[in-house]
Amino acid sequence: MNAPLIDPFARAITYLRVSVTDRCDFRCVYCMSENMTFLPKKELLTLEELDRMCSTFIGLGVEKLRITGGEPLVRRGIMTFFDSMTRHLESGALKELTLTTNGSQLERFADDLYAAGVRRVNISLDTLDEDKFAAITRWGRLAQVMRGIDAAQRAGLRVKINAVALKGFNEPELPRITEWCAERDMDLTWIEVMPMGDIGNEDRLDQYWSLKDVRATYAENYTVTDLAERSGGPARYVRLEETGQKIGFITPLSHNFCESCNRVRLTCTGELFMCLGQEDNADLRAPLRAHPEDNAPLEQAIRAAISHKPEGHDFDYSRRRLDGQMSRHMSHTGG
Ligand code: SAM
Ligand code: SF4
């Protein structure tokens, strides 16, 4: 095999997150503005290009692929792409193929995803209240997502719920969401809201609910044990002794996971971001398109990019400053 991807800080890059579209059928207030302008189609990697890109990374040692967006399941023909990744699962080169979705299309796709080899999905859901769900997603309908979650579990997919922690919004729902996940045997992870993009006049500092406070709220209701387990990413975990549930906390703004970071992100236009918190990126679409028959220039561009992976990121939200605020949207880089 080719030499694996190792960055300058001796971290092996084994996890690729791929945004397959910037489009979405929701307009979550912390993620998108109501009137988004999306990229022209020619800017996007085609499904064949996505295959070639991912297959190249897998050839270089990437073992885990997470497909995201925008909403990955609204990309036309996306199942063709999932089906094409099955061969890497079957060869053993790829250990896990997974996706992050808003759940709206899962009723239609859950069985096909399972058949393609997907075993776990992350479903984003911030509230169990229909009206609040409509308000936070602007265009989403809770019942449709619920049917998607049912379909995913019926298909045999393990579900993790990702909830963005929003002060004064889903704060009072913490026990209900937690119990609902326990009843359905779904993992739950809280995500701290991030200062991403310029998405209108929503003041995200006012919505900021620190995960330290989320943890404290748990501690008021449960016996909370910190777990040592890490996944190379920003999540930390606790166990609720009363229910046995494992709850995750993703604080993307803290630096404390950078030393074990094993991941890079590919946008739907083929830019590789080495760090979620840095603008530094490499254009992989150009070498891909310039050499349709020869993979060497693409591999070279990937290696060059990895050799520039920064040690860590540096935005600080906790002191209520927005230094280092990112100008790009999560829907572009993929959350
Ligand atoms: N559409 C899919 C979904 O919602 O799961 C995948 C893409 S979405 C950008 C990925 C994750 O990013 C979601 O869990 C979403 O809640 C999260 N997200 C989006 N904007 C965010 C922000 N400003 N701060 C924190 N998380 C955010
Ligand atoms: Fe769409 Fe996901 Fe962004 Fe919501 S968080 S607008 S579902 S991409």
Side-chain angles (χ1 to χ4, degrees), residues 215-235:
R215 192 193 179 288
T217 309
Y218 272 115
E220 286 165 17
N221 298 285
Y222 302 91
T223 314
V224 178
T225 308
D226 290 312
L227 301 176
E229 176 183 333
R230 300 304 301 267
S231 57

PDB file of all heavy atoms in Angstrom, residues 215-235:
ATOM      1  N   ARG A 215     -23.670  20.113  31.133  1.00  0.00           N
ATOM      2  CA  ARG A 215     -23.216  19.046  32.025  1.00  0.00           C
ATOM      3  C   ARG A 215     -23.712  19.288  33.448  1.00  0.00           C
ATOM      4  O   ARG A 215     -24.158  18.363  34.133  1.00  0.00           O
ATOM      5  CB  ARG A 215     -21.683  18.956  31.994  1.00  0.00           C
ATOM      6  CG  ARG A 215     -21.152  17.692  32.658  1.00  0.00           C
ATOM      7  CD  ARG A 215     -19.658  17.786  32.902  1.00  0.00           C
ATOM      8  NE  ARG A 215     -19.176  16.582  33.559  1.00  0.00           N
ATOM      9  CZ  ARG A 215     -19.409  16.263  34.826  1.00  0.00           C
ATOM     10  NH1 ARG A 215     -20.128  17.060  35.600  1.00  0.00           N
ATOM     11  NH2 ARG A 215     -18.931  15.141  35.340  1.00  0.00           N
ATOM     12  N   ALA A 216     -23.653  20.545  33.870  1.00  0.00           N
ATOM     13  CA  ALA A 216     -24.114  20.892  35.220  1.00  0.00           C
ATOM     14  C   ALA A 216     -25.609  20.594  35.370  1.00  0.00           C
ATOM     15  O   ALA A 216     -26.056  20.121  36.418  1.00  0.00           O
ATOM     16  CB  ALA A 216     -23.820  22.367  35.506  1.00  0.00           C
ATOM     17  N   THR A 217     -26.367  20.853  34.313  1.00  0.00           N
ATOM     18  CA  THR A 217     -27.807  20.552  34.349  1.00  0.00           C
ATOM     19  C   THR A 217     -28.024  19.048  34.507  1.00  0.00           C
ATOM     20  O   THR A 217     -28.896  18.608  35.262  1.00  0.00           O
ATOM     21  CB  THR A 217     -28.492  21.060  33.052  1.00  0.00           C
ATOM     22  OG1 THR A 217     -28.122  22.419  32.861  1.00  0.00           O
ATOM     23  CG2 THR A 217     -29.999  20.939  33.137  1.00  0.00           C
ATOM     24  N   TYR A 218     -27.206  18.257  33.814  1.00  0.00           N
ATOM     25  CA  TYR A 218     -27.294  16.804  33.998  1.00  0.00           C
ATOM     26  C   TYR A 218     -27.004  16.431  35.446  1.00  0.00           C
ATOM     27  O   TYR A 218     -27.686  15.606  36.042  1.00  0.00           O
ATOM     28  CB  TYR A 218     -26.317  16.084  33.058  1.00  0.00           C
ATOM     29  CG  TYR A 218     -26.913  15.783  31.697  1.00  0.00           C
ATOM     30  CD1 TYR A 218     -26.415  16.379  30.558  1.00  0.00           C
ATOM     31  CD2 TYR A 218     -27.984  14.894  31.573  1.00  0.00           C
ATOM     32  CE1 TYR A 218     -26.972  16.118  29.306  1.00  0.00           C
ATOM     33  CE2 TYR A 218     -28.540  14.625  30.337  1.00  0.00           C
ATOM     34  CZ  TYR A 218     -28.036  15.235  29.204  1.00  0.00           C
ATOM     35  OH  TYR A 218     -28.599  14.972  27.987  1.00  0.00           O
ATOM     36  N   ALA A 219     -25.957  17.059  35.974  1.00  0.00           N
ATOM     37  CA  ALA A 219     -25.533  16.703  37.330  1.00  0.00           C
ATOM     38  C   ALA A 219     -26.614  17.014  38.368  1.00  0.00           C
ATOM     39  O   ALA A 219     -26.665  16.400  39.434  1.00  0.00           O
ATOM     40  CB  ALA A 219     -24.227  17.424  37.665  1.00  0.00           C
ATOM     41  N   GLU A 220     -27.503  17.970  38.038  1.00  0.00           N
ATOM     42  CA  GLU A 220     -28.605  18.265  38.961  1.00  0.00           C
ATOM     43  C   GLU A 220     -29.636  17.127  38.973  1.00  0.00           C
ATOM     44  O   GLU A 220     -30.378  16.957  39.923  1.00  0.00           O
ATOM     45  CB  GLU A 220     -29.326  19.554  38.527  1.00  0.00           C
ATOM     46  CG  GLU A 220     -28.533  20.814  38.833  1.00  0.00           C
ATOM     47  CD  GLU A 220     -29.093  22.024  38.080  1.00  0.00           C
ATOM     48  OE1 GLU A 220     -30.255  21.954  37.607  1.00  0.00           O
ATOM     49  OE2 GLU A 220     -28.350  23.013  37.965  1.00  0.00           O
ATOM     50  N   ASN A 221     -29.698  16.378  37.865  1.00  0.00           N
ATOM     51  CA  ASN A 221     -30.743  15.360  37.730  1.00  0.00           C
ATOM     52  C   ASN A 221     -30.233  13.923  37.788  1.00  0.00           C
ATOM     53  O   ASN A 221     -31.020  13.003  37.993  1.00  0.00           O
ATOM     54  CB  ASN A 221     -31.476  15.549  36.400  1.00  0.00           C
ATOM     55  CG  ASN A 221     -32.178  16.895  36.324  1.00  0.00           C
ATOM     56  OD1 ASN A 221     -33.204  17.078  36.947  1.00  0.00           O
ATOM     57  ND2 ASN A 221     -31.592  17.835  35.602  1.00  0.00           N
ATOM     58  N   TYR A 222     -28.959  13.737  37.534  1.00  0.00           N
ATOM     59  CA  TYR A 222     -28.412  12.381  37.439  1.00  0.00           C
ATOM     60  C   TYR A 222     -27.045  12.314  38.126  1.00  0.00           C
ATOM     61  O   TYR A 222     -26.424  13.335  38.384  1.00  0.00           O
ATOM     62  CB  TYR A 222     -28.185  11.979  35.976  1.00  0.00           C
ATOM     63  CG  TYR A 222     -29.404  12.020  35.087  1.00  0.00           C
ATOM     64  CD1 TYR A 222     -29.723  13.174  34.376  1.00  0.00           C
ATOM     65  CD2 TYR A 222     -30.209  10.889  34.924  1.00  0.00           C
ATOM     66  CE1 TYR A 222     -30.827  13.208  33.526  1.00  0.00           C
ATOM     67  CE2 TYR A 222     -31.311  10.916  34.078  1.00  0.00           C
ATOM     68  CZ  TYR A 222     -31.619  12.078  33.381  1.00  0.00           C
ATOM     69  OH  TYR A 222     -32.701  12.111  32.538  1.00  0.00           O
ATOM     70  N   THR A 223     -26.566  11.079  38.325  1.00  0.00           N
ATOM     71  CA  THR A 223     -25.181  10.892  38.740  1.00  0.00           C
ATOM     72  C   THR A 223     -24.352  10.793  37.461  1.00  0.00           C
ATOM     73  O   THR A 223     -24.559   9.892  36.654  1.00  0.00           O
ATOM     74  CB  THR A 223     -25.043   9.580  39.539  1.00  0.00           C
ATOM     75  OG1 THR A 223     -26.106   9.533  40.490  1.00  0.00           O
ATOM     76  CG2 THR A 223     -23.693   9.491  40.213  1.00  0.00           C
ATOM     77  N   VAL A 224     -23.439  11.739  37.288  1.00  0.00           N
ATOM     78  CA  VAL A 224     -22.706  11.852  36.028  1.00  0.00           C
ATOM     79  C   VAL A 224     -21.262  11.399  36.208  1.00  0.00           C
ATOM     80  O   VAL A 224     -20.565  11.899  37.087  1.00  0.00           O
ATOM     81  CB  VAL A 224     -22.715  13.328  35.550  1.00  0.00           C
ATOM     82  CG1 VAL A 224     -21.922  13.490  34.255  1.00  0.00           C
ATOM     83  CG2 VAL A 224     -24.139  13.823  35.366  1.00  0.00           C
ATOM     84  N   THR A 225     -20.843  10.402  35.419  1.00  0.00           N
ATOM     85  CA  THR A 225     -19.454   9.946  35.495  1.00  0.00           C
ATOM     86  C   THR A 225     -18.728  10.306  34.206  1.00  0.00           C
ATOM     87  O   THR A 225     -19.192   9.969  33.113  1.00  0.00           O
ATOM     88  CB  THR A 225     -19.404   8.403  35.654  1.00  0.00           C
ATOM     89  OG1 THR A 225     -20.250   8.044  36.739  1.00  0.00           O
ATOM     90  CG2 THR A 225     -17.989   7.913  35.902  1.00  0.00           C
ATOM     91  N   ASP A 226     -17.602  10.999  34.323  1.00  0.00           N
ATOM     92  CA  ASP A 226     -16.806  11.321  33.132  1.00  0.00           C
ATOM     93  C   ASP A 226     -16.155  10.059  32.597  1.00  0.00           C
ATOM     94  O   ASP A 226     -15.633   9.250  33.361  1.00  0.00           O
ATOM     95  CB  ASP A 226     -15.711  12.337  33.490  1.00  0.00           C
ATOM     96  CG  ASP A 226     -16.308  13.700  33.783  1.00  0.00           C
ATOM     97  OD1 ASP A 226     -17.135  14.158  32.977  1.00  0.00           O
ATOM     98  OD2 ASP A 226     -15.959  14.296  34.825  1.00  0.00           O
ATOM     99  N   LEU A 227     -16.161   9.897  31.285  1.00  0.00           N
ATOM    100  CA  LEU A 227     -15.512   8.738  30.665  1.00  0.00           C
ATOM    101  C   LEU A 227     -14.230   9.192  29.982  1.00  0.00           C
ATOM    102  O   LEU A 227     -14.172  10.300  29.430  1.00  0.00           O
ATOM    103  CB  LEU A 227     -16.456   8.098  29.638  1.00  0.00           C
ATOM    104  CG  LEU A 227     -17.809   7.615  30.185  1.00  0.00           C
ATOM    105  CD1 LEU A 227     -18.693   7.084  29.065  1.00  0.00           C
ATOM    106  CD2 LEU A 227     -17.608   6.538  31.255  1.00  0.00           C
ATOM    107  N   ALA A 228     -13.240   8.320  29.983  1.00  0.00           N
ATOM    108  CA  ALA A 228     -11.942   8.695  29.414  1.00  0.00           C
ATOM    109  C   ALA A 228     -11.960   8.606  27.892  1.00  0.00           C
ATOM    110  O   ALA A 228     -11.141   9.217  27.216  1.00  0.00           O
ATOM    111  CB  ALA A 228     -10.850   7.773  29.978  1.00  0.00           C
ATOM    112  N   GLU A 229     -12.918   7.832  27.389  1.00  0.00           N
ATOM    113  CA  GLU A 229     -12.999   7.536  25.964  1.00  0.00           C
ATOM    114  C   GLU A 229     -12.944   8.781  25.059  1.00  0.00           C
ATOM    115  O   GLU A 229     -13.630   9.756  25.268  1.00  0.00           O
ATOM    116  CB  GLU A 229     -14.347   6.823  25.779  1.00  0.00           C
ATOM    117  CG  GLU A 229     -14.709   6.489  24.397  1.00  0.00           C
ATOM    118  CD  GLU A 229     -16.125   5.847  24.370  1.00  0.00           C
ATOM    119  OE1 GLU A 229     -16.536   5.246  25.384  1.00  0.00           O
ATOM    120  OE2 GLU A 229     -16.769   5.963  23.335  1.00  0.00           O
ATOM    121  N   ARG A 230     -12.088   8.716  24.024  1.00  0.00           N
ATOM    122  CA  ARG A 230     -12.020   9.790  23.023  1.00  0.00           C
ATOM    123  C   ARG A 230     -12.069   9.161  21.642  1.00  0.00           C
ATOM    124  O   ARG A 230     -11.718   8.013  21.461  1.00  0.00           O
ATOM    125  CB  ARG A 230     -10.704  10.582  23.149  1.00  0.00           C
ATOM    126  CG  ARG A 230     -10.467  11.253  24.464  1.00  0.00           C
ATOM    127  CD  ARG A 230     -11.587  12.203  24.875  1.00  0.00           C
ATOM    128  NE  ARG A 230     -11.836  13.269  23.926  1.00  0.00           N
ATOM    129  CZ  ARG A 230     -11.283  14.480  23.983  1.00  0.00           C
ATOM    130  NH1 ARG A 230     -10.446  14.755  24.957  1.00  0.00           N
ATOM    131  NH2 ARG A 230     -11.567  15.411  23.094  1.00  0.00           N
ATOM    132  N   SER A 231     -12.482   9.930  20.678  1.00  0.00           N
ATOM    133  CA  SER A 231     -12.596   9.367  19.337  1.00  0.00           C
ATOM    134  C   SER A 231     -11.682  10.052  18.337  1.00  0.00           C
ATOM    135  O   SER A 231     -11.861   9.918  17.140  1.00  0.00           O
ATOM    136  CB  SER A 231     -14.048   9.504  18.872  1.00  0.00           C
ATOM    137  OG  SER A 231     -14.392  10.882  18.929  1.00  0.00           O
ATOM    138  N   GLY A 232     -10.698  10.803  18.825  1.00  0.00           N
ATOM    139  CA  GLY A 232      -9.834  11.556  17.918  1.00  0.00           C
ATOM    140  C   GLY A 232     -10.492  12.850  17.481  1.00  0.00           C
ATOM    141  O   GLY A 232      -9.944  13.616  16.722  1.00  0.00           O
ATOM    142  N   GLY A 233     -11.696  13.072  17.985  1.00  0.00           N
ATOM    143  CA  GLY A 233     -12.441  14.270  17.620  1.00  0.00           C
ATOM    144  C   GLY A 233     -12.774  15.087  18.847  1.00  0.00           C
ATOM    145  O   GLY A 233     -12.294  14.796  19.944  1.00  0.00           O
ATOM    146  N   PRO A 234     -13.609  16.079  18.672  1.00  0.00           N
ATOM    147  CA  PRO A 234     -13.895  17.000  19.765  1.00  0.00           C
ATOM    148  C   PRO A 234     -14.876  16.479  20.814  1.00  0.00           C
ATOM    149  O   PRO A 234     -15.160  17.193  21.763  1.00  0.00           O
ATOM    150  CB  PRO A 234     -14.489  18.217  19.034  1.00  0.00           C
ATOM    151  CG  PRO A 234     -15.053  17.672  17.768  1.00  0.00           C
ATOM    152  CD  PRO A 234     -14.191  16.510  17.390  1.00  0.00           C
ATOM    153  N   ALA A 235     -15.387  15.270  20.653  1.00  0.00           N
ATOM    154  CA  ALA A 235     -16.400  14.804  21.613  1.00  0.00           C
ATOM    155  C   ALA A 235     -15.768  14.292  22.906  1.00  0.00           C
ATOM    156  O   ALA A 235     -14.732  13.636  22.900  1.00  0.00           O
ATOM    157  CB  ALA A 235     -17.256  13.709  20.981  1.00  0.00           C
TER     158      ALA A 235
END
